[in-house]
Amino acid sequence: MVIPVNVRPFDDGGNATANGPSSRELFTVNSPNVTYTDSEIRSKYTYRTTSVNQTADGKYVATPRETVYDFKVDRKVPKVGAMLVGWGGNNGSTVTAGIIANRRGLTWETREGQRSANYYGSVMMGSTMKLGTDAKTLKDVNIPFHDVLPMVHPNDLVIGGWDMSSLNLAASMDRAAVLEPTLKALVRKEMAEMVPLPSIYYPDFIAANQKDRADNLISGSKACTEHVERIRMDICDFKAANSLDKVIVQWTANTERYAEIIPGVNDTAENLLKAIADGHEEISPSTVFAVACILEGAPFINGSPQNTFVPGAIQLSEQHGTFIGGDDFKSGQTKMKSALVDFLISAGIKPTSIASYNHLGNNDGKNLSSQKQFRSKEISKSNVVDDMVEANSVLYAPGEHPDHIVVIKYMPAVGDSKRALDEYYAEIFMGGHQTISIFNVCEDSLLASPLIIDLVLVTEMMTRIQWKASSAEGKEDFKSFHSVLSILSYMLKAPVTPAGIPVINALAKQRSCLTNIFRACVGLDPESDMTLEHRLADLPRSPG
Ligand SMILES: NC(=O)c1ccc[n+]([C@@H]2O[C@H](COP(=O)([O-])OP(=O)(O)OC[C@H]3O[C@@H](n4cnc5c(N)ncnc54)[C@H](O)[C@@H]3O)[C@@H](O)[C@H]2O)c1
Ligand SMILES: O=P([O-])([O-])O[C@@H]1[C@@H](O)[C@H](O)[C@@H](O)[C@H](O)[C@@H]1O
């Protein structure tokens, strides 16, 4: 039975409507395997894979496998808060202004003419997916990605967070120098009322050149249980003050140096909690935030490249079933790389060297001008082609991979408008070479802000999706996905995965994963693009 559910969950003031949050569904699935109730979408989904075994003589045996899963989606769209660590930074202030501008439907004048608020760069809000094929015309029917499941609308997000800098969000927006003055004027009043909560600051983890910003601090310069409890209280208070159903936390603060993994200190959940209680110097602010969020049941996403999720933090998230995700927003140069190298290699072209250089003049660049912080970024930017290379044994011998360098320079003059220069050098047919040079001017924060939104929307959606194997009918309850949310990888340079699970960086595969898991939740198979209806002889030809 199908019960269409009505429109926006909140009125224009952002308040939940009388009948409680619900969402508009653009489509319903007509299938015996999918049922809708007021509160849930239930689907029975047959997951088809191919299991491969290798025989003694090196041959493969491929066996099709089918596993039937029951998925359950909570249709009730909650009231959600997004708390950003580093809220007063370029990304934090820009994403906040962007959501306000969209919520109010703002337009503003620029030298090139009038501009309107949009969510371009967000997969959820700015892209579509193929729902299926028009029964009459045989043409693709595409729908906004956001409409595949009852997701939160970013206009309804309540934004807050912490910053070690005391500037309010209007002053932070001015400091960031990202947005047009005409737009800033329209959101200034609202932004000026937003003041970051004080935060923890352990100087050794970020560049010394960040010290001048640190005037909004919780006392204590190293990890301690009090810091964890204070952050938990901040989350709790923010949730209560805004009548929120849940809070998602993201780290968009400075890139930290890597923390050393020390047995007995951060290798297990128990040791990590003890190390924090003991004030161990090697516990970073981002790991303290992660621990606080995990204990508070607030999903925590790391938008920076450092190894926030030390083994003890991952184990703690698994013990508590709190989602974590990371690392490092994949916004410009690396996103391009994860698509271009995938295209080259899958086209049988062999990249043999990749040179990635960029310079930028924002505070992120200033922090990255310090070697230890740059090293964190160099790691996250360097591993992004590994899976694509390893997948092609025709081009690459075992262990062979392209030369790959990453260079980042701080050039204050260009501000947030990062200049990325890449050269891809590849072997082609009969000893030839192809050289691809890209000059990519990335407005870094305008590229990262939509990712922050997508990370909130997808993470929150995943908290309302549960599964169980149909064969366990009556024997098992529904479960959440693994607490390490690798489904977020499309938005991240260095995806964190559960122990032993391979990392997939190929952009097309990452998007396909996101698309098809969401489709499965409404009982729809992946769109294979076979479009046999276009290719087989003697097809019924429809008009149009
Ligand atoms: N395109 C992008 O902008 C992009 C892409 C990928 C990753 N990132 C990462 O996102 C992060 C933020 O980027 P940004 O351009 O907004 O940087 P930013 O320097 O403008 O903002 C970082 C903010 O974090 C604050 N901060 C630092 N340590 C803190 C702490 N312990 N607690 C609370 N606040 C703290 C700083 O005061 C600053 O306001 C950086 O780590 C960057 O590497 C950015
Ligand atoms: O996402 P991307 O464009 O590959 O990588 C970017 C780097 O090139 C840039 O130097 C850094 O400041 C940004 O934080 C971001 O990480």
Side-chain angles (χ1 to χ4, degrees), residues 43-212:
S43 67
K44 195 170 285 298
Y45 176 77
T46 301
Y47 177 55
R48 293 182 175 83
T49 55
T50 303
S51 175
V52 178
N53 292 288
Q54 194 161 21
T55 57
D57 59 358
K59 298 281 195 291
Y60 294 117
V61 178
T63 309
R65 294 266 190 256
E66 289 190 357
T67 308
V68 183
Y69 290 104
D70 293 335
F71 284 112
K72 177 170 72 171
V73 177
D74 177 354
R75 287 176 100 176
K76 184 178 174 188
V77 178
K79 191 176 181 186
V80 177
M83 294 187 83
L84 305 180
V85 189
W87 190 21
N90 282 30
N91 288 347
S93 56
T94 301
V95 70
T96 303
I99 289 172
I100 293 170
N102 274 287
R103 182 184 297 147
R104 291 167 44 194
L106 298 180
T107 60
W108 59 96
E109 285 303 323
T110 71
R111 286 179 300 178
E112 292 84 28
Q114 189 177 82
R115 291 291 178 267
S116 302
N118 65 53
Y119 282 116
Y120 295 173
S122 158
V123 173
M124 296 300 116
M125 302 304 295
S127 84
T128 62
M129 75 159 69
K130 178 181 175 184
L131 177 62
T133 304
D134 185 285
K136 296 186 178 62
T137 66
L138 299 185
K139 290 181 179 174
D140 287 359
V141 175
N142 295 291
I143 62 168
F145 206 113
H146 187 259
D147 285 322
V148 67
L149 288 175
M151 280 184 234
V152 167
H153 194 290
N155 288 358
D156 300 320
L157 291 174
V158 180
I159 311 290
W162 303 262
D163 203 293
M164 68 179 193
S165 165
S166 61
L167 291 194
N168 66 47
L169 267 286
S172 295
M173 177 175 62
D174 289 335
R175 174 175 60 187
V178 171
L179 300 172
E180 292 278 355
T182 46
L183 169 56
K184 291 197 295 181
L186 296 172
V187 299
R188 182 172 300 282
K189 182 175 181 300
E190 193 167 346
M191 297 272 282
E193 293 164 5
M194 298 174 169
V195 179
L197 294 165
S199 187
I200 54 177
Y201 171 52
Y202 309 162
D204 186 50
F205 281 91
I206 59 177
N209 61 35
Q210 297 298 309
K211 186 173 185 305
D212 298 346

Side-chain angles (χ1 to χ4, degrees), residues 90-91 163 199-200 213 252-253 255 304 328 363-364 377 444:
N90 282 30
N91 288 347
D163 203 293
S199 187
I200 54 177
R213 283 174 89 106
T252 183
T255 292
S304 296
D328 206 6
N363 189 60
D364 180 25
K377 189 67 75 172
D444 247 5

Side-chain angles (χ1 to χ4, degrees), residues 370-506:
S370 164
Q371 177 56 33
K372 285 183 178 177
Q373 285 64 41
F374 163 72
R375 181 60 188 141
S376 297
K377 189 67 75 172
E378 184 183 34
I379 292 169
S380 70
K381 287 174 71 80
S382 298
N383 299 337
V384 74
V385 301
D386 294 352
D387 59 316
M388 302 162 228
V389 169
E390 283 161 23
N392 191 320
S393 58
V394 173
L395 296 176
Y396 298 96
E400 182 187 6
H401 53 78
D403 299 334
H404 192 179
I405 60 164
V406 171
V407 176
I408 298 175
K409 293 298 178 190
Y410 176 50
M411 298 274 271
V414 302
D416 200 71
S417 181
K418 176 188 72 197
R419 270 77 170 141
L421 292 86
D422 289 84
E423 183 197 81
Y424 296 83
Y425 186 62
E427 291 180 16
I428 59 177
F429 191 56
M430 302 306 286
H433 284 91
Q434 180 180 17
T435 302
I436 299 171
S437 296
I438 298 174
F439 181 70
N440 178 0
V441 177
C442 309
E443 300 293 346
D444 247 5
S445 299
L446 296 176
L447 288 172
S449 294
L451 301 180
I452 291 174
I453 290 168
D454 281 345
L455 286 163
V456 171
L457 267 53
V458 174
T459 300
E460 191 287 318
M461 191 67 242
M462 292 305 291
T463 67
R464 287 187 281 133
I465 296 171
Q466 293 190 304
W467 67 278
K468 66 182 169 74
S470 292
S471 58
E473 193 60 49
K475 293 188 289 249
E476 278 181 23
D477 290 335
F478 278 95
K479 293 174 278 194
S480 292
F481 275 65
H482 191 283
S483 61
V484 178
L485 266 188
S486 55
I487 194 175
L488 300 175
S489 62
Y490 182 93
M491 285 74 81
L492 297 161
K493 290 194 193 69
V496 179
T497 60
I501 300 300
V503 172
I504 302 294
N505 264 307

